[in-house]
Amino acid sequence: MLTTHDLANQPLSLTVSDDHHHGVETVTVCAGAQGAVTMTCSCRQYIAQNWCRHLVDLACMRLRDCGITDPDIDARFEEIVAGTALEIAGNDADHRLAMVAHHAGRVDQARAGGPSRDAMESLALAARDLAEAAEAASDALRRFTRRAAGAID
Ligand SMILES: [Zn+2]
């Protein structure tokens, strides 16, 4: 017979969907030792890069956005992921990616202003901020990818 502890260590499969790709993917989450959590996805982005938007959204507990409405699945997922380093890394990656999008928007806006001196100054500032944000996002994604692979340090 399975104990509660054994059950917690059973991999949890989630069927995720999103508005953008109209596809359905399978995410597998598994609790390891010392708070380690492994999370994989069947989508192309994950296969190519070992992380994907689904995993970041799930680590940020946006289960409903991923099409998960079953409260039992929701509760089991939260039990495995809440309070872990993976959750923290997911929130950080999410925030860094949002900053990249924000500064990229500023770059677009400055370029749309036409080639004036003011526009070039704005563009230079926004591009510097974008470069910094992109580096930080790259680092955050590297950390998130390691966490999702089950690393704990
Ligand atoms: Zn995915």
Side-chain angles (χ1 to χ4, degrees), residues 4-79:
T4 311
H5 178 76
D6 291 335
L7 204 61
N9 287 306
Q10 294 293 305
L12 173 66
S13 274
L14 304 103
T15 302
V16 301
S17 57
D18 62 61
D19 303 337
H20 310 295
H21 301 101
H22 306 286
V24 173
E25 306 289 349
T26 303
V27 169
T28 304
V29 191
C30 192
Q34 294 169 309
V37 178
T38 55
M39 196 152 59
T40 61
C41 185
S42 60
C43 79
R44 280 182 174 187
Q45 189 188 4
Y46 178 83
I47 290 162
Q49 302 176 37
N50 290 321
W51 76 275
C52 64
R53 192 70 232 184
H54 301 118
L55 298 194
V56 173
D57 283 341
L58 288 171
C60 292
M61 300 293 167
R62 288 194 282 264
L63 274 72
R64 200 165 280 277
D65 293 350
C66 295
I68 294 158
T69 51
D70 182 336
D72 292 339
I73 299 278
D74 197 303
R76 277 205 64 201
F77 182 85
E78 200 175 313
E79 194 183 329

Side-chain angles (χ1 to χ4, degrees), residues 53 56 60 62 89-101 137 140:
R53 192 70 232 184
V56 173
C60 292
R62 288 194 282 264
N91 277 285
D92 186 46
D94 187 57
H95 170 70
R96 303 290 178 183
L97 289 170
M99 292 306 289
V100 169

